Amino acid sequence: MPFSETATTHIKGNPVGLAGRWTMTIIGLILIGYSLFYKPKLPNKMVELEDTICPKCETTFGIGEAPKNELCPNCKDLLEPLKGFYDRHPELKNIKSDKN
């Protein structure tokens, strides 16, 4: 009851005055506003959610098989999602078909 001057509030047996009640109310409102409007940036879950491929050596990793740092263990290159990989890299698609 931060608005009433006659109300007494106790914290651990000690009375809290009008200024203390207002302070607790303002801090509570700030925390509620922060929790409603703050959107944390979520970490990249690419490695855990889909198949990945190394663009250099074309080694594929299944769901959950890729390293956590998203780097190929062979050539230390950044992994990419497998879906649409050859659409993004058509030059590798031609090389791949020539090998077969």
Side-chain angles (χ1 to χ4, degrees):
M1 296 183 359
F3 310 111
S4 175
E5 292 184 21
T6 60
T8 57
T9 304
H10 298 291
I11 295 179
K12 295 185 181 181
N14 298 320
V16 178
L18 182 62
R21 291 193 309 260
W22 272 106
T23 303
M24 289 188 296
T25 302
I26 291 170
I27 290 173
L29 291 174
I30 289 171
L31 291 175
I32 289 171
Y34 180 78
S35 67
L36 290 176
F37 297 110
Y38 176 71
K39 303 291 183 214
K41 183 178 178 185
L42 299 175
N44 188 2
K45 300 284 184 180
M46 177 182 71
V47 174
E48 299 172 7
L49 299 178
E50 59 187 339
D51 295 331
T52 55
I53 187 169
C54 175
K56 194 172 194 179
C57 65
E58 296 186 43
T59 304
T60 57
F61 299 93
I63 296 173
E65 294 177 352
K68 296 289 182 191
N69 61 1
E70 299 181 21
L71 295 176
C72 178
N74 301 331
C75 54
K76 306 298 185 220
D77 208 15
L78 187 64
L79 300 176
E80 293 186 24
L82 182 60
K83 186 174 184 178
F85 175 76
Y86 290 108
D87 294 334
R88 293 188 303 271
H89 302 282
E91 69 280 359
L92 296 176
K93 183 177 182 180
N94 294 336
I95 293 171
K96 187 76 169 173
S97 63
D98 291 342
K99 290 180 184 177
N100 292 335

